[in-house]
Amino acid sequence: MSKKQSKASKTADSINSRLALVIKSGKYQLGYKTSLKTLRSGKSKLILIANNCPALRKSELEYYAMLAKTGVHHFNGDNNELGTACGRYYRVSVMSITDPGDSDIISTFAGDA
């Protein structure tokens, strides 16, 4: 059982470190409204959704992402944890990455729908 927990924590550490690199060197949008705007304009490369995002909002984001051929990653934490991973002191339910910068987050997590 401890192996499973360590694998989950390694994945969490992996996404958090890649996310930190995106925050430092890339371009991104935080929040539902701005993420929808990037999806509709076709600029978004990857969408991260917190696991406590409302179901209707989540399905709408997934639908727009499918139309825009954009990857969706369901972040394994609530909106508080996603906000903390982004280096913010507030809750973030949705994050849209438009330019990954030096990070390889798009190739690693784009197929996790």
Side-chain angles (χ1 to χ4, degrees):
M1 187 162 155
S2 63
K3 282 187 178 180
K4 189 169 188 171
Q5 287 177 338
S6 66
K7 183 168 172 59
S9 68
K10 280 182 186 174
T11 308
D13 291 343
S14 169
I15 182 109
N16 286 349
S17 62
R18 287 183 169 93
L19 210 48
L21 200 54
V22 169
I23 301 296
K24 202 167 118 178
S25 65
K27 288 187 171 44
Y28 59 95
Q29 297 288 329
L30 299 177
Y32 173 69
K33 281 183 172 180
T34 54
S35 295
L36 271 186
K37 286 178 188 173
T38 60
L39 275 171
R40 283 195 300 253
S41 64
K43 293 178 185 167
S44 182
K45 305 272 191 301
L46 179 68
I47 296 286
L48 279 90
I49 305 174
N51 66 4
N52 65 343
C53 185
L56 184 66
R57 191 172 279 198
K58 190 183 292 191
S59 62
E60 186 179 3
L61 283 162
E62 288 168 348
Y63 178 70
Y64 275 108
M66 182 264 305
L67 291 176
K69 297 182 178 67
T70 301
V72 177
H73 177 71
H74 297 281
F75 188 76
N76 196 15
D78 63 0
N79 52 8
N80 286 314
E81 292 172 24
L82 184 56
T84 304
C86 295
R88 300 293 187 269
Y89 295 113
Y90 47 83
R91 298 181 293 255
V92 175
S93 64
V94 184
M95 176 183 183
S96 170
I97 298 173
T98 52
D99 174 33
D102 300 330
S103 178
D104 61 342
I105 194 167
I106 306 290
S107 59
T108 311
F109 294 106
D112 291 2

